[in-house]
Amino acid sequence: MTLGPDIRPRRLRTTPAMRRMVSETRVHPSQLVLPMFVREGIDAPQPISSMPGVVQHTTESMRGAIVEAAGAGIGGIMLFGIPLLKDAVGSGATDENGILNVATRIAVEEAGDALLVQTDLCLDEFTDHGHCGVLRSDGRVDNDASLERYREMALAQAAAGSQLLGLSGMMDGQVAAVRDELDANGYLDTAILGYGAKYASAFYGPFRDAVDSSLQGDRRTYQQDPGNRREGLREAMLDCEQGADIVMVKPAMSYLDVLADVAAVSDIPVWAYQVSGEYSMIEAAAANGWIDRERAIDESLISIVRAGADAVLTYWAVEYARTLR
């Protein structure tokens, strides 16, 4: 008689029905947020070559995309504006008729209560040098001068109706500065998403195509070193202490350890951004027949939620949500 093992975990993997019943991690459509690019001065959506299936929207085409997103049951959209003109201080970011603020008003009108309308609060899309802040005479980013611009942006975006401001610039003290400005001007209910742990990553490459980035140099003096795990947790906790309502880890898949660290101790929601490079790698590999596209998308998103994300910004938000319903 052949003796077998006493414990057989494979019993819980025998059939699809069994595997569904014992699955530890599930993703719900409401946990997904769709990043959306809106470009000034175009009359039709423009495909982004490095991000197959993603476009720069017009203010009209975004209406249909918002209706589609609401119909899929996702949680929200994150808006990025691409202006015609840029300057050293990103003037278009605080112009009430600038593309991002115009798009925000349209999105709020179109989405109603179906989606959480969120806006990227950062200067990089609006500056001619492509950095996330104001430059000093020596070319370095001036932290405190940038905070003043963030305060102005916060008021402009809140006035346009944004319900959640995504502070992605990685300036020291940005959450406290924006919270103070919002409260002082009566925007007590406007929430802040602090990009607490945002790393200087190679995986942002396609995004820079998407926003026609003018970046000169790199962002390593303000975004975090990829090797620093403890620093990621520290930065996220500082955002919590300064009054963030939600905290972000970005990118997602290369920083699942940081995401898990933050989720383990945070008493506010923790989100993660599945960035452009993560999206484009899977799309490119699938287009070459190297991986199963749908399974790779599913596995990537499950891994982010499994690591502790309460919500995920992903370019597959609408497509993936449909597979879950």
Side-chain angles (χ1 to χ4, degrees):
M1 174 175 144
T2 302
L3 295 178
D6 293 330
I7 301 174
R8 295 182 181 269
R10 285 184 57 191
R11 293 189 188 113
L12 299 183
R13 304 172 201 149
T14 52
T15 66
M18 178 66 82
R19 292 192 292 274
R20 285 194 300 271
M21 285 296 298
V22 300
S23 178
E24 298 176 28
T25 304
R26 293 178 174 84
V27 182
H28 190 274
S30 65
Q31 293 176 280
L32 305 174
V33 176
L34 177 68
M36 187 176 294
F37 305 105
V38 188
R39 182 172 180 172
E40 187 175 21
I42 58 174
D43 55 13
Q46 301 294 307
I48 300 165
S49 60
S50 58
M51 298 180 69
V54 182
V55 302
Q56 296 171 333
H57 282 286
T58 69
T59 52
E60 283 306 307
S61 69
M62 69 175 285
R63 292 181 183 272
I66 290 169
V67 170
E68 181 182 42
I74 69 169
I77 56 172
M78 174 65 79
L79 298 176
F80 297 88
I82 307 162
L84 273 175
L85 301 175
K86 303 179 182 184
D87 60 26
V89 297
S91 300
T94 47
D95 181 351
E96 67 175 351
N97 294 314
I99 184 61
L100 182 54
N101 296 320
V102 169
T104 301
R105 291 194 291 271
I106 292 171
V108 170
E109 173 190 341
E110 204 67 54
D113 292 330
L115 296 167
L116 186 69
V117 175
Q118 307 159 43
T119 47
D120 180 55
L121 198 158
C122 193
L123 288 171
D124 60 324
E125 295 105 282
F126 299 93
T127 54
D128 54 13
H129 47 74
H131 279 285
C132 299
V134 178
L135 299 187
R136 302 186 322 203
S137 59
D138 63 1
R140 291 175 64 85
V141 175
D142 186 324
N143 191 95
D144 295 2
S146 300
L147 295 184
E148 292 307 308
R149 291 294 291 138
Y150 290 1
R151 287 173 179 268
E152 295 166 3
M153 284 184 73
L155 294 184
Q157 292 183 4
S162 177
Q163 298 158 305
L164 181 64
L165 309 184
L167 276 60
S168 62
M170 284 302 290
M171 296 297 120
D172 292 344
Q174 62 184 15
V175 171
V178 167
R179 184 73 270 161
D180 177 70
E181 191 72 12
L182 290 172
D183 291 354
N185 286 273
Y187 293 108
L188 302 177
D189 292 333
T190 302
I192 291 175
L193 166 61
Y195 284 52
K198 183 178 179 182
Y199 286 83
S201 173
F203 292 105
Y204 301 144
F207 177 89
R208 291 173 185 166
D209 285 344
V211 297
D212 292 349
S213 174
S214 307
L215 181 63
Q216 301 166 18
D218 60 50
R219 296 176 176 149
R220 296 185 183 186
T221 64
Y222 46 102
Q223 293 177 356
Q224 293 168 242
D225 188 302
N228 291 359
R229 179 174 179 172
R230 291 192 302 271
E231 183 183 44
L233 177 59
R234 181 189 184 212
E235 288 272 15
M237 292 302 98
L238 284 171
D239 277 11
C240 294
E241 292 166 11
Q242 290 174 30
D245 300 285
I246 304 168
V247 70
M248 175 82 86
V249 175
K250 178 181 180 180
M253 287 178 64
S254 295
Y255 299 90
L256 294 178
D257 56 337
V258 179
L259 174 58
D261 289 346
V262 175
V265 299
S266 175
D267 57 2
I268 63 175
V270 178
W271 291 7
Y273 198 141
Q274 187 179 50
V275 300
S276 59
E278 299 172 56
Y279 171 89
S280 295
M281 283 195 308
I282 290 176
E283 289 288 351
N288 279 283
W290 297 335
I291 59 174
D292 182 315
R293 179 179 180 275
E294 286 68 32
R295 287 185 62 193
I297 293 170
D298 183 56
E299 187 175 336
S300 68
L301 286 165
I302 286 174
S303 74
I304 297 167
V305 174
R306 188 187 67 236
D310 298 299
V312 184
L313 277 71
T314 174
Y315 300 96
W316 287 303
V318 171
E319 176 186 347
Y320 191 68
R322 287 175 175 154
T323 70
L324 299 174
R325 299 186 75 180

